[in-house]
Amino acid sequence: MAGAGERKGKKDDNGIGTAIDFVLSNARLVLGVGGAAMLGIATLAVKRMYDRAISAPASPTRLSQSGKRSWEEPSWLGSSSRLLNQDMKTNISRSLQTLPTDPSAFETDSVKPMRHKSSAKKSQVELKKSRLRMSLQEKLFAYYRRKVAIPTEEQAKAKQAAVDICAELRGFLRAKLPDMPLREMYLSGSLCDDLQVVTADHIQLIVPLVLEQNLWSCIPGEDTIMNIPGFCLVRRENPEYFPRGSSYWDRCVVGGYLSPRAVSETFEKVVAGSINWPAIGTLLDYVIHPAAPLESLTLEVQYERDRRLLIDFLPSVTIGDTVLVAKPHRLAQYDNLWRLSLRSAETARLRALDQADSGCRSLCLKILKAICKLNPSLSHLSASQLTNVILHQTQEEASWSQDVLADRFLQALKELIGYLEAGVLPSALNPKVNMFSELTPEEVDELGYTLYCSLSEPEVLLQT
């Protein structure tokens, strides 16, 4: 065997040098190519030092012809361990160059059967994974039918109730405040886009304000001292030429900016304080009343004995191509900022992608939304955040057929965990916007931990 013969020109090394040679020669069989290379590099320096030591002459004080002791240690041993002499670099380089790059070159007759067994075991693992995916696929479709999908009749009744309320509000505002510059109100939200899950229980009533083009401008949040992408300030312009009162909405200006909170409070005084909702409810056969204080003005409508609908009254402004809504930031110190509205564009892109290839993106999104809605520990994840995860995933995966729903669902969970770990989820339409900017570090940790624990057994998420 390699290294077993006598070593000429050197004294007997009592078997230590032989043992080192033996380990190096057979390391490839035990450790493989990469392991042998690393072991060779680490051991070579020790072996060379030992060889020099056992090669010392009988009298260590005898000098060589060059005037130096022949047993003197090479200069690199006393210096930094990172410095190698030229001889060592050459030997290491040659050793690495002679190592084969194909691991099969080191297979012996006893190793090859082990490799075949490993391949067979790998095939069994892949088969098991395939069966698990099929099982998860069936459970996802069953969960969708049982928990996610809303009956068509329920959706239709909820929409009709919202349309009736919208008509009453429109008529009242025109009669009560004829000089208030408003565009036509309209309904928006997941109920209108067939993306609502579990139950038809909320919708948005968008109330567009009319702003004079030369009196108002939009300042992106990232260009302000607050540096908050995804939010904007609406600044009052040209006060020296058009003094306060030139615009109807000057009454809602705070510190030179149109305040979304002041606008919402103006509507709240009218909608919640002036309208006789019990009388209107009797007329429409609904029970209507303003909901408990939420982040925006909200009406609660009971349109059936066991069916309730929340209607968010949401003022909106459009400046150029920018659409803003009076949905406040979670932190009170930013209550003068308008929120950039990207939902309509996100939904339109998702729908267009699914229509192009009959994909399951919307189906996967609805399942994720239902899981987050029914699981309290995931309730801080919003529909917009989940939509952006799917849109990012669409850029990486071309296949979105119904047959790969389980794969795309698991991948969405993994990518969501990755975004939570980084603390950043860029908007698919505006990368400057971090969709996690309003989550606290504690909420991010809780969300990430819950989802990470579910990866080993994702069916647990479907039991809520």
Side-chain angles (χ1 to χ4, degrees):
M1 188 168 293
E6 289 187 353
R7 303 175 57 181
K8 296 182 180 181
K10 294 186 179 182
K11 293 185 178 181
D12 184 12
D13 58 3
N14 294 325
I16 298 178
T18 302
I20 294 175
D21 287 338
F22 176 82
V23 172
L24 287 175
S25 299
N26 294 278
R28 290 176 295 184
L29 296 178
V30 179
L31 301 177
V33 177
M38 293 300 294
L39 180 60
I41 294 172
T43 310
L44 184 55
V46 177
K47 183 175 180 294
R48 286 180 57 83
M49 183 176 67
Y50 179 76
D51 288 344
R52 285 176 178 266
I54 65 173
S55 300
S59 177
T61 57
R62 181 168 55 86
L63 299 179
S64 64
Q65 295 179 358
S66 60
K68 293 184 179 181
R69 294 182 177 88
S70 59
W71 54 270
E72 186 173 342
E73 294 177 350
S75 59
W76 60 270
L77 289 177
S79 59
S80 172
S81 60
R82 297 184 180 182
L83 301 178
L84 303 178
N85 64 18
Q86 189 62 35
D87 188 26
M88 285 196 63
K89 291 180 180 178
T90 302
N91 289 339
I92 293 174
S93 178
R94 289 176 181 173
S95 298
L96 292 177
Q97 290 174 3
T98 57
L99 287 176
T101 57
D102 185 6
S104 63
F106 301 106
E107 290 183 358
T108 64
D109 294 339
S110 61
V111 173
K112 290 179 181 178
M114 293 176 63
R115 180 169 181 176
H116 292 314
K117 291 181 181 179
S118 177
S119 300
K121 186 176 181 180
K122 184 177 181 181
S123 300
Q124 293 177 358
V125 171
E126 291 297 329
L127 180 61
K128 184 177 181 181
K129 287 182 178 180
S130 177
R131 290 175 179 172
L132 289 175
R133 282 196 298 269
M134 291 301 296
S135 175
L136 178 60
Q137 182 103 339
E138 295 172 357
K139 292 178 180 179
L140 286 172
F141 280 113
Y143 180 78
Y144 178 81
R145 293 188 296 268
R146 186 178 72 257
K147 291 287 187 70
V148 180
I150 303 174
T152 303
E153 183 181 359
E154 181 183 344
Q155 294 187 61
K157 289 183 178 180
K159 289 179 184 177
Q160 186 59 51
V163 169
D164 293 341
I165 301 299
C166 181
E168 290 294 330
L169 270 173
R170 184 186 301 114
F172 180 85
L173 289 175
R174 285 177 177 173
K176 184 75 173 179
L177 301 169
D179 58 336
M180 179 182 283
L182 297 175
R183 292 190 175 91
E184 197 70 21
M185 293 184 290
Y186 61 92
L187 296 171
S188 179
S190 57
L191 182 59
C192 300
D193 300 321
D194 192 29
L195 288 175
Q196 196 154 122
V197 297
V198 183
T199 182
D201 59 2
H202 63 278
I203 198 169
Q204 294 175 338
L205 177 59
I206 306 299
V207 186
L209 280 57
V210 176
L211 298 181
E212 297 81 357
Q213 185 175 359
N214 60 330
L215 297 185
W216 307 94
S217 65
C218 178
I219 311 298
E222 59 268 28
D223 295 339
T224 68
I225 192 173
M226 292 172 283
N227 189 25
I228 306 181
F231 292 83
C232 296
L233 288 170
V234 177
R235 184 168 60 191
R236 175 65 156 87
E237 300 289 357
N238 302 319
E240 62 276 12
Y241 299 108
F242 302 95
R244 187 179 180 88
S246 301
S247 172
Y248 178 91
W249 300 110
D250 280 340
R251 65 193 67 189
C252 298
V253 170
V254 176
Y257 298 92
L258 183 64
S259 169
R261 182 175 294 278
V263 171
S264 297
E265 289 175 351
T266 298
F267 281 109
E268 186 174 1
K269 292 176 183 178
V270 177
V271 175
S274 302
I275 301 180
N276 188 348
W277 287 115
I280 294 177
T282 301
L283 180 66
L284 298 175
D285 197 22
Y286 301 144
V287 177
I288 310 171
H289 59 85
L294 299 174
E295 61 181 14
S296 59
L297 174 60
T298 302
L299 295 175
E300 183 175 345
V301 182
Q302 181 180 345
Y303 59 95
E304 287 187 353
R305 186 180 353 182
D306 57 345
R307 300 292 182 188
R308 284 177 169 78
L309 177 69
L310 295 178
I311 303 178
D312 292 331
F313 196 85
L314 205 58
S316 170
V317 299
T318 301
I319 301 178
D321 297 331
T322 304
V323 180
L324 306 171
V325 292
K327 187 175 181 181
H329 193 283
R330 288 184 68 186
L331 301 179
Q333 61 262 37
Y334 301 128
D335 60 358
N336 216 31
L337 291 166
W338 292 76
R339 185 182 298 268
L340 182 64
S341 178
L342 298 174
R343 186 198 168 279
S344 297
E346 293 167 352
T347 303
R349 175 175 292 188
L350 189 72
R351 187 181 300 277
L353 290 169
D354 269 351
Q355 290 177 348
D357 60 6
S358 301
C360 65
R361 299 170 187 82
S362 297
L363 177 61
C364 186
L365 173 62
K366 292 171 76 171
I367 292 174
L368 289 170
K369 287 176 63 175
I371 289 172
C372 294
K373 184 173 183 177
L374 297 174
N375 191 329
S377 60
L378 297 176
S379 60
H380 290 299
L381 284 173
S382 68
S384 184
Q385 292 164 348
L386 297 174
T387 301
N388 277 271
V389 171
I390 299 295
L391 290 177
H392 282 300
Q393 190 177 349
T394 295
Q395 297 174 359
E396 302 172 1
E397 297 292 342
S399 176
W400 281 87
S401 65
Q402 303 285 331
D403 296 336
V404 296
L405 174 61
D407 290 333
R408 296 296 167 264
F409 174 78
L410 289 174
Q411 185 181 2
L413 290 180
K414 293 177 182 178
E415 293 196 6
L416 182 53
I417 292 171
Y419 290 126
L420 287 167
E421 184 179 4
V424 177
L425 171 58
S427 166
L429 302 183
N430 187 347
K432 294 180 181 179
V433 179
N434 177 16
M435 305 303 296
F436 290 157
S437 63
E438 294 179 82
L439 293 176
T440 66
E442 292 76 18
E443 290 169 344
V444 170
D445 289 342
E446 181 182 2
L447 292 169
Y449 177 76
T450 302
L451 291 173
Y452 182 79
C453 292
S454 70
L455 281 182
S456 59
E457 194 175 357
E459 291 85 354
V460 174
L461 295 174
L462 307 180
Q463 297 174 1
T464 54

